[in-house]
Coordinates of all heavy atoms in Angstrom, one line a residue:
M1195 N 142.9 120.8 41.6 CA 141.6 120.8 42.1 C 141.4 119.3 42.7 O 141.6 118.3 42.1 CB 140.6 121.0 41.1 CG 139.2 121.0 41.5 SD 138.0 121.3 40.2 CE 137.9 123.1 40.3
D1196 N 141.0 119.3 44.0 CA 140.9 118.0 44.7 C 139.4 117.6 44.6 O 138.4 118.2 45.2 CB 141.2 118.2 46.2 CG 141.1 116.9 47.0 OD1 141.0 115.8 46.3 OD2 141.1 117.0 48.2
F1197 N 139.1 116.5 43.8 CA 137.8 116.1 43.6 C 137.2 115.3 44.7 O 136.0 114.9 44.7 CB 137.7 115.3 42.3 CG 137.8 116.1 41.1 CD1 139.0 116.0 40.3 CD2 136.9 117.0 40.8 CE1 139.1 116.7 39.1 CE2 137.0 117.9 39.6 CZ 138.2 117.7 38.8
N1198 N 138.0 115.0 45.8 CA 137.5 114.3 47.0 C 137.1 115.3 48.1 O 136.6 114.8 49.1 CB 138.6 113.4 47.5 CG 138.9 112.2 46.6 OD1 138.0 111.7 45.9 ND2 140.1 111.8 46.4
S1199 N 137.3 116.5 47.8 CA 137.0 117.5 48.8 C 135.5 118.0 48.7 O 135.1 118.3 47.6 CB 138.0 118.8 48.7 OG 137.5 119.8 49.5
P1200 N 134.8 118.2 49.8 CA 133.5 118.7 49.7 C 133.4 120.2 49.2 O 132.4 120.6 48.7 CB 133.0 118.6 51.2 CG 133.9 117.8 51.9 CD 135.2 117.8 51.2
S1201 N 134.5 120.9 49.4 CA 134.5 122.3 49.0 C 134.6 122.4 47.5 O 134.4 123.5 46.9 CB 135.6 123.1 49.7 OG 136.8 122.6 49.3
T1202 N 134.8 121.3 46.8 CA 134.8 121.2 45.3 C 133.4 120.8 44.9 O 132.9 121.4 43.9 CB 135.8 120.2 44.8 OG1 137.1 120.6 45.3 CG2 135.8 120.2 43.3
W1203 N 132.8 119.8 45.5 CA 131.5 119.3 45.0 C 130.3 120.1 45.4 O 129.3 120.2 44.7 CB 131.4 117.9 45.5 CG 132.2 116.9 44.8 CD1 133.3 116.3 45.2 CD2 132.1 116.5 43.4 NE1 133.9 115.5 44.2 CE2 133.2 115.7 43.1 CE3 131.2 116.9 42.4 CZ2 133.3 115.1 41.8 CZ3 131.4 116.3 41.1 CH2 132.4 115.4 40.9
I1204 N 130.3 120.8 46.6 CA 129.2 121.5 47.0 C 128.8 122.7 46.1 O 127.7 122.9 45.7 CB 129.4 122.0 48.5 CG1 129.3 120.8 49.4 CG2 128.3 123.0 48.9 CD1 129.6 121.1 50.9
P1205 N 129.9 123.4 45.6 CA 129.4 124.5 44.6 C 128.9 123.9 43.3 O 128.0 124.5 42.7 CB 130.8 125.3 44.3 CG 131.7 124.9 45.5 CD 131.3 123.6 46.0
V1206 N 129.4 122.8 42.9 CA 128.9 122.2 41.7 C 127.5 121.7 41.8 O 126.6 122.0 41.0 CB 129.9 121.0 41.3 CG1 129.3 120.2 40.1 CG2 131.3 121.5 40.9
I1207 N 127.2 121.1 42.9 CA 125.9 120.6 43.2 C 124.9 121.8 43.4 O 123.8 121.8 42.9 CB 125.9 119.7 44.5 CG1 126.6 118.4 44.1 CG2 124.4 119.4 44.9 CD1 126.9 117.6 45.3
S1208 N 125.4 122.9 44.1 CA 124.6 124.1 44.3 C 124.2 124.7 42.9 O 123.1 125.2 42.7 CB 125.3 125.0 45.2 OG 125.5 124.5 46.5
I1209 N 125.2 124.9 42.1 CA 124.9 125.4 40.8 C 124.0 124.6 40.0 O 123.1 125.1 39.3 CB 126.2 125.8 40.0 CG1 127.0 126.9 40.7 CG2 126.0 126.1 38.5 CD1 128.4 127.0 40.2
A1210 N 124.2 123.3 40.0 CA 123.2 122.4 39.4 C 121.8 122.5 39.9 O 120.8 122.5 39.1 CB 123.7 121.0 39.5
L1211 N 121.7 122.6 41.2 CA 120.3 122.9 41.8 C 119.7 124.1 41.4 O 118.5 124.2 41.0 CB 120.4 122.8 43.4 CG 120.6 121.5 44.0 CD1 120.8 121.7 45.5 CD2 119.3 120.6 43.8
L1212 N 120.5 125.2 41.3 CA 120.0 126.5 40.7 C 119.5 126.4 39.3 O 118.5 126.8 38.9 CB 121.1 127.5 40.9 CG 121.3 128.2 42.3 CD1 122.5 129.1 42.2 CD2 120.1 128.9 42.7
L1213 N 120.4 125.7 38.4 CA 120.0 125.6 37.1 C 118.8 124.6 36.9 O 117.9 124.9 36.0 CB 121.2 125.1 36.3 CG 122.4 126.1 36.1 CD1 123.5 125.4 35.4 CD2 121.9 127.3 35.4
I1214 N 118.7 123.6 37.6 CA 117.6 122.7 37.5 C 116.3 123.4 38.0 O 115.3 123.3 37.4 CB 117.8 121.4 38.3 CG1 118.9 120.5 37.7 CG2 116.5 120.6 38.5 CD1 119.4 119.4 38.5
G1215 N 116.4 124.1 39.1 CA 115.3 124.8 39.6 C 114.8 125.9 38.6 O 113.6 126.1 38.4
Y1216 N 115.7 126.6 38.1 CA 115.3 127.6 37.1 C 114.7 126.9 35.8 O 113.8 127.5 35.3 CB 116.5 128.5 36.6 CG 116.1 129.6 35.8 CD1 115.5 130.7 36.3 CD2 116.5 129.6 34.4 CE1 115.1 131.7 35.4 CE2 116.1 130.6 33.6 CZ 115.4 131.7 34.1 OH 115.1 132.7 33.2
G1217 N 115.3 125.9 35.4 CA 114.7 125.2 34.2 C 113.4 124.6 34.4 O 112.6 124.5 33.5
M1218 N 113.1 124.2 35.6 CA 111.8 123.6 36.0 C 110.9 124.6 36.8 O 110.2 124.1 37.6 CB 112.0 122.3 36.8 CG 112.8 121.3 36.0 SD 111.8 120.6 34.7 CE 112.6 119.1 34.5
R1219 N 111.1 125.9 36.5 CA 110.4 126.8 37.4 C 108.9 126.8 37.4 O 108.2 127.4 38.2 CB 110.9 128.3 37.1 CG 110.6 128.7 35.7 CD 111.4 130.1 35.5 NE 111.2 130.5 34.1 CZ 112.0 130.2 33.0 NH1 113.0 129.4 33.3 NH2 111.8 130.6 31.9
A1220 N 108.3 126.1 36.4 CA 106.8 125.9 36.4 C 106.4 124.9 37.5 O 105.2 124.9 37.8 CB 106.4 125.5 35.1
R1221 N 107.2 124.1 38.0 CA 106.9 123.1 39.0 C 106.8 123.7 40.4 O 107.4 124.8 40.6 CB 108.0 122.0 39.0 CG 108.3 121.4 37.7 CD 107.6 120.1 37.5 NE 108.0 119.5 36.3 CZ 107.2 119.0 35.4 NH1 105.9 118.9 35.7 NH2 107.7 118.4 34.4
A1222 N 106.1 123.1 41.3 CA 105.9 123.6 42.6 C 107.2 123.5 43.5 O 107.3 124.3 44.4 CB 104.7 122.8 43.3
W1223 N 108.0 122.6 43.1 CA 109.2 122.4 44.0 C 110.4 123.2 43.5 O 111.4 123.2 44.1 CB 109.6 120.9 44.0 CG 109.6 120.2 42.7 CD1 108.6 119.6 42.1 CD2 110.8 120.2 41.8 NE1 109.1 119.1 40.9 CE2 110.3 119.5 40.6 CE3 112.0 120.8 41.8 CZ2 111.2 119.3 39.6 CZ3 112.8 120.6 40.7 CH2 112.4 119.8 39.6
A1224 N 110.3 123.9 42.4 CA 111.4 124.5 41.8 C 112.0 125.6 42.7 O 113.2 125.8 42.8 CB 111.0 125.1 40.4
P1225 N 111.1 126.5 43.4 CA 111.7 127.5 44.3 C 112.5 126.9 45.4 O 113.6 127.5 45.8 CB 110.5 128.3 44.8 CG 109.4 128.0 43.8 CD 109.7 126.7 43.2
Y1226 N 112.1 125.8 45.9 CA 112.9 125.1 47.0 C 114.2 124.6 46.5 O 115.2 124.6 47.2 CB 112.0 124.0 47.6 CG 110.7 124.5 48.1 CD1 109.5 124.1 47.5 CD2 110.6 125.3 49.2 CE1 108.3 124.6 48.0 CE2 109.4 125.8 49.7 CZ 108.2 125.4 49.1 OH 107.0 125.9 49.5
C1227 N 114.2 124.1 45.3 CA 115.4 123.6 44.7 C 116.4 124.8 44.5 O 117.6 124.7 44.8 CB 115.1 123.0 43.3 SG 116.4 122.2 42.5
M1228 N 115.9 125.9 44.0 CA 116.8 127.0 43.8 C 117.3 127.6 45.2 O 118.4 128.1 45.3 CB 116.0 128.2 43.0 CG 115.9 127.8 41.6 SD 115.3 129.1 40.5 CE 113.6 129.2 41.0
L1229 N 116.4 127.6 46.2 CA 116.7 128.0 47.5 C 117.8 127.2 48.1 O 118.8 127.7 48.7 CB 115.5 128.1 48.4 CG 115.6 128.8 49.7 CD1 115.8 130.3 49.5 CD2 114.3 128.6 50.5
A1230 N 117.7 125.9 47.9 CA 118.8 125.0 48.4 C 120.1 125.3 47.7 O 121.1 125.3 48.4 CB 118.4 123.6 48.2
G1231 N 120.1 125.5 46.4 CA 121.3 125.9 45.7 C 121.9 127.2 46.2 O 123.1 127.3 46.3
A1232 N 121.0 128.2 46.4 CA 121.5 129.5 46.8 C 122.1 129.4 48.2 O 123.2 130.0 48.4 CB 120.4 130.5 46.8
F1233 N 121.5 128.6 49.1 CA 122.2 128.5 50.4 C 123.4 127.7 50.4 O 124.3 127.9 51.2 CB 121.1 127.9 51.4 CG 120.2 128.8 52.1 CD1 118.8 128.7 51.8 CD2 120.7 129.8 52.8 CE1 118.0 129.6 52.4 CE2 119.8 130.8 53.4 CZ 118.5 130.7 53.2
G1234 N 123.5 126.7 49.5 CA 124.7 126.0 49.3 C 125.9 126.9 48.8 O 127.0 126.8 49.4
L1235 N 125.6 127.8 47.9 CA 126.6 128.7 47.4 C 127.0 129.7 48.5 O 128.1 130.0 48.7 CB 126.2 129.4 46.2 CG 126.2 128.6 44.9 CD1 125.6 129.4 43.7 CD2 127.5 128.1 44.6
L1236 N 126.0 130.1 49.2 CA 126.3 131.1 50.4 C 127.2 130.4 51.4 O 128.1 131.0 51.9 CB 125.0 131.6 51.0 CG 125.1 132.6 52.0 CD1 125.7 133.9 51.5 CD2 123.7 132.9 52.7
G1237 N 126.9 129.1 51.7 CA 127.7 128.4 52.7 C 129.1 128.2 52.3 O 130.1 128.4 53.0
V1238 N 129.3 127.9 51.0 CA 130.7 127.8 50.4 C 131.4 129.2 50.5 O 132.6 129.2 50.9 CB 130.6 127.2 49.0 CG1 132.0 127.3 48.3 CG2 130.1 125.8 49.0
L1239 N 130.7 130.2 50.2 CA 131.3 131.6 50.2 C 131.8 131.9 51.7 O 132.9 132.4 51.9 CB 130.3 132.6 49.7 CG 130.8 134.0 49.8 CD1 132.0 134.3 48.8 CD2 129.6 135.0 49.5
V1240 N 130.9 131.6 52.6 CA 131.3 131.9 54.0 C 132.4 131.0 54.4 O 133.3 131.5 55.2 CB 130.0 131.7 55.0 CG1 130.4 131.7 56.4 CG2 129.0 132.7 54.7
Y1241 N 132.4 129.7 54.0 CA 133.5 128.9 54.4 C 134.9 129.3 53.8 O 135.9 129.3 54.5 CB 133.2 127.4 53.9 CG 134.4 126.5 54.0 CD1 134.7 126.0 55.3 CD2 135.1 126.1 53.0 CE1 135.8 125.1 55.4 CE2 136.2 125.2 53.1 CZ 136.5 124.8 54.3 OH 137.5 123.9 54.4
R1242 N 134.8 129.7 52.6 CA 136.1 130.1 51.9 C 136.6 131.4 52.5 O 137.8 131.6 52.6 CB 135.9 130.2 50.4 CG 135.7 128.8 49.8 CD 135.9 128.8 48.4 NE 135.6 127.4 47.9 CZ 136.1 126.9 46.9 NH1 136.9 127.6 46.1 NH2 135.8 125.6 46.5
V1243 N 135.7 132.4 52.8 CA 136.1 133.6 53.4 C 136.7 133.4 54.8 O 137.7 133.9 55.2 CB 135.0 134.6 53.5 CG1 135.3 135.8 54.4 CG2 134.6 135.1 52.1
S1244 N 136.1 132.5 55.6 CA 136.6 132.1 56.9 C 137.9 131.5 56.8 O 138.8 131.7 57.7 CB 135.6 131.3 57.7 OG 135.5 130.0 57.2
V1245 N 138.2 130.6 55.8 CA 139.5 130.0 55.6 C 140.5 131.0 55.2 O 141.6 131.0 55.7 CB 139.4 128.9 54.6 CG1 140.8 128.4 54.2 CG2 138.6 127.7 55.2
A1246 N 140.1 132.0 54.4 CA 141.0 133.0 53.9 C 141.4 134.0 55.1 O 142.6 134.4 55.1 CB 140.5 133.8 52.8
I1247 N 140.5 134.2 56.0 CA 140.8 135.1 57.1 C 141.7 134.4 58.1 O 142.6 135.0 58.7 CB 139.5 135.5 57.8 CG1 138.7 136.4 56.9 CG2 139.7 136.2 59.1 CD1 137.4 136.9 57.5
G1248 N 141.5 133.1 58.3 CA 142.5 132.3 59.1 C 141.9 132.0 60.3 O 142.3 131.7 61.4

């Protein structure tokens, strides 16, 4: 696992955003935090599928 690669850190940050947003769901900014995490994971998924396709 290459820790200098963005494709390693973006999923970690996205999952952290989802968990932080879920944990703080009573706050007004929590849905935006979870939305950013979800879009980050979706972006990583699209990137990895496009790399796998070639």
Side-chain angles (χ1 to χ4, degrees):
M1195 182 179 271
D1196 182 17
F1197 289 112
N1198 294 323
S1199 173
S1201 64
T1202 301
W1203 286 108
I1204 292 174
V1206 171
I1207 293 169
S1208 297
I1209 292 171
L1211 283 171
L1212 283 171
L1213 292 175
I1214 290 168
Y1216 184 75
M1218 300 288 204
R1219 61 189 176 272
R1221 309 261 188 221
W1223 49 265
Y1226 303 110
C1227 185
M1228 289 189 285
L1229 192 63
F1233 276 119
L1235 287 176
L1236 184 64
V1238 169
L1239 177 68
V1240 169
Y1241 171 74
R1242 292 196 182 205
V1243 167
S1244 68
V1245 167
I1247 290 173

